[in-house]
Amino acid sequence: MPKKERGHLTQGDRIFIEERLRDSTSIPDIASKLGVEPSTVRQEIQRNAVKESPSFLVVETRNICLRKDACKLSAICGNGCIMPCRTCKKSLCNQVCPEFKRTFARGSRNRPTSATTAGNATAWGCGYEYRFYDGKLAHETAMKRKTEPRAGIDCTREQLVEMADFVRPMLKKGQSPEHIWSNHKEKLPISLRTFYNYVEMGVFDSIVNLDLPKKVVFKVRKEKDALPVPRHDLEGRTYEDFQKLPPEEQMNAVEMDCVVSAKGCDKAILTLLFRRFSFQLMLYLQAKNQAEVAKALDMVEGLIGPRAFKKWFGTILTDHGSEFLDFLALEKSCKGKGKRCRVYYCDPMESGQKGRCEKNHVELRKILPKGTSFQNLTARKLAVVCSHVNSYGRPVVGGASPYQLTSQVLPEDLFVGLGIGRIAPEDVVMKPGLVAL
């Protein structure tokens, strides 16, 4: 592969590194495929590996307790077993023992490919604890490291005073900031947009919003009325409760919403978006009500089974739509007496709290624009729409499609049962003519 033209690794590159490390591919081979130096890949793993990741199940398949060889405890989980807990294959010490103490990885520098395989630990030399490389988490960590140092005021106090002394006399003459910046841009250390931000923040002692003529004449927007009182007792299921979950569990949550038809038709589309992969399931609803939503989730559970449903749909985040408020029906398993998931609700009027789902509706609306009637929509036609939308590349993951990211992870029965398949990149259609309505 030719040398990488751009200077930074994308999220797609990082996911590629994770996938190749799972296959025990060597770092030089990974670097060759990406068109970068081996040191780039090695440094990327060292800098952005994490102690815990939901993508790797080491703690569920391997006892990594420091005292496991000398431990004589038994029946910690309360099952009455007489065998030493350290020999148990079902309930590992890592999960149930209050005296668990993590051991350290053992390895050498010439075997870096053990960094992220599903059952191996990072081995950057003896004495280092287990670490894992998760492509999605690594990208988030890298972006955070890149943006945080740039936050704040990027000027010295002397520069701010000098700039205020230069700009204020012209503002008093009635000149707009746009006029000032267009004629004196080279003398000013910041952009016009940054100047407005600094004034809003109160950075300048001698310049306030009243000095900006255009801003003063704008009417202050009316504050919205007080938030409506929820029609159900959602204690323990609010967005604040959702934020208390571990970050990994929040990232693995499924965002749920409804896409409605044009007026005059009751049919709707239930969307379920996997945050980690931007993959969005689309389920056909005969009507936009609580019974139909519960029925759709029952169908998914029937396709993949209770255990897989709890793993992939265990945490659901949705809004206060009336069709979602019967959380007892949504959480109750159709295959048994237990619960299959936990539903949390965004704050009223805060759709951005499940922004990934809302953003992905933009892609769906390219095929089914607002105002489209779903009267002639069928589950089979919706499966075609779902296949094309999820086969459409996303720049945020380096051009990869959500289907590519999930087809090897989610249960195959889910794709087969819902009729979702991969569409070749050159055959993807993102226009209303895809299905006849």
Side-chain angles (χ1 to χ4, degrees):
M1 182 176 177
K3 200 159 187 176
K4 191 178 182 70
E5 295 181 0
R6 54 193 185 280
H8 301 284
L9 295 176
T10 65
Q11 183 170 342
D13 295 333
R14 292 183 168 97
I15 292 175
F16 177 82
I17 293 174
E18 176 189 337
E19 292 173 347
R20 296 289 74 79
L21 289 174
R22 286 179 182 271
D23 299 333
S24 297
T25 305
S26 68
I27 284 181
D29 287 344
I30 296 174
S32 176
K33 294 290 185 181
L34 290 177
V36 299
E37 295 295 329
S39 60
T40 300
V41 178
R42 186 174 292 108
Q43 291 169 7
E44 165 64 22
I45 297 172
Q46 287 177 317
R47 294 184 70 190
N48 296 324
V50 294
K51 295 180 180 180
E52 296 181 1
S53 166
S55 299
F56 302 100
L57 308 178
V58 173
V59 296
E60 298 182 7
T61 59
R62 180 178 177 184
N63 189 341
I64 57 174
C65 181
L66 183 64
R67 306 186 181 96
K68 67 179 184 300
D69 295 330
C71 180
K72 297 181 180 180
L73 296 177
S74 61
I76 295 176
C77 62
N79 290 334
C81 179
I82 62 174
M83 296 298 292
C85 289
R86 58 186 173 84
T87 64
C88 182
K89 300 299 182 183
K90 295 182 179 180
S91 187
L92 297 182
C93 306
N94 315 346
Q95 301 167 326
V96 300
C97 183
E99 299 182 13
F100 167 73
K101 185 175 181 180
R102 184 185 295 270
T103 188
F104 294 99
R106 299 295 175 185
S108 59
R109 288 183 179 271
N110 62 356
R111 296 190 61 193
T113 55
S114 63
T116 59
T117 53
N120 294 315
T122 305
W124 301 113
C126 296
Y128 279 63
E129 62 185 349
Y130 285 85
R131 293 175 68 81
F132 310 98
Y133 185 83
D134 183 315
K136 191 79 179 265
L137 291 178
H139 187 71
E140 293 172 359
T141 302
M143 292 300 99
K144 185 176 180 181
R145 185 186 300 114
K146 182 179 179 181
T147 57
E148 280 186 345
R150 302 185 181 185
I153 307 301
D154 192 22
C155 283
T156 65
R157 186 63 186 172
E158 291 73 18
Q159 286 178 312
L160 292 174
V161 172
E162 183 179 350
M163 179 170 50
D165 292 341
F166 179 77
V167 172
R168 184 170 174 75
M170 287 181 277
L171 289 175
K172 283 187 170 296
K173 295 177 181 178
Q175 297 183 17
S176 68
E178 288 79 5
H179 176 81
I180 297 172
W181 254 256
S182 64
N183 291 282
H184 305 284
K185 184 177 180 179
E186 68 284 352
K187 298 180 181 179
L188 300 166
I190 59 176
S191 68
L192 177 60
R193 178 68 264 171
T194 303
F195 171 74
Y196 275 114
N197 290 339
Y198 283 5
V199 173
E200 187 69 30
M201 294 164 59
V203 172
F204 299 103
D205 296 330
S206 57
I207 300 177
V208 296
N209 282 327
L210 289 173
D211 297 317
L212 308 181
K214 286 186 179 181
K215 198 160 188 177
V216 173
V217 299
F218 286 133
K219 293 182 180 180
V220 178
R221 294 184 179 181
K222 293 180 64 177
E223 294 290 336
K224 294 180 180 179
D225 295 335
L227 298 178
V229 178
R231 288 168 283 177
H232 289 250
D233 181 9
L234 303 180
E235 183 178 357
R237 291 180 170 83
T238 65
Y239 188 71
E240 183 179 356
D241 297 315
F242 176 77
Q243 289 183 305
K244 293 178 182 178
L245 298 176
E248 295 80 6
E249 190 170 346
Q250 293 184 43
M251 178 56 67
N252 286 332
V254 172
E255 296 182 2
M256 181 168 65
D257 203 355
C258 262
V259 176
V260 297
S261 170
K263 291 183 178 180
C265 178
D266 294 334
K267 296 180 179 180
I269 299 172
L270 179 69
T271 61
L272 298 164
L273 180 130
F274 295 86
R275 280 185 157 193
R276 181 169 292 279
F277 309 109
S278 295
F279 180 85
Q280 191 166 48
L281 288 179
M282 302 171 192
L283 305 178
Y284 175 74
L285 301 180
Q286 286 285 357
K288 183 172 173 280
N289 58 42
Q290 296 175 359
E292 284 293 314
V293 172
K295 182 179 176 182
L297 295 184
D298 290 345
M299 178 187 67
V300 174
E301 185 182 9
L303 289 174
I304 64 178
R307 182 176 298 179
F309 188 95
K310 193 168 185 178
K311 174 182 178 181
W312 295 107
F313 297 86
T315 303
I316 296 178
L317 179 65
T318 187
D319 55 37
H320 284 247
S322 60
E323 69 274 20
F324 301 132
L325 291 181
D326 188 2
F327 52 79
L328 294 178
L330 301 182
E331 295 177 352
K332 181 181 178 182
S333 173
C334 67
K335 294 291 186 178
K337 297 181 180 180
K339 289 187 176 182
R340 60 188 174 190
C341 63
R342 179 78 173 179
V343 179
Y344 294 88
Y345 295 88
C346 298
D347 296 329
M349 311 300 291
E350 291 290 347
S351 60
Q353 292 175 352
K354 55 179 180 64
R356 291 177 175 86
C357 183
E358 300 289 348
K359 178 66 176 177
N360 214 64
H361 286 173
V362 174
E363 308 301 334
L364 172 59
R365 284 301 191 181
K366 290 178 181 178
I367 302 174
L368 302 175
K370 287 187 176 181
T372 300
S373 174
F374 295 165
Q375 188 62 45
N376 297 320
L377 183 66
T378 64
R380 188 177 295 274
K381 290 180 180 179
L382 184 58
V384 174
V385 174
C386 185
S387 298
H388 280 257
V389 170
N390 286 296
S391 297
Y392 188 52
R394 302 292 198 274
V396 71
V397 290
S401 69
Y403 185 90
Q404 287 177 281
L405 300 178
T406 56
S407 58
Q408 303 300 319
V409 180
L410 293 179
E412 183 179 1
D413 292 340
L414 183 64
F415 296 96
V416 175
L418 296 178
I420 302 171
R422 178 181 179 273
I423 308 299
E426 61 274 13
D427 296 329
V428 172
V429 177
M430 298 295 289
K431 290 188 175 182
L434 176 62
V435 292
L437 298 178

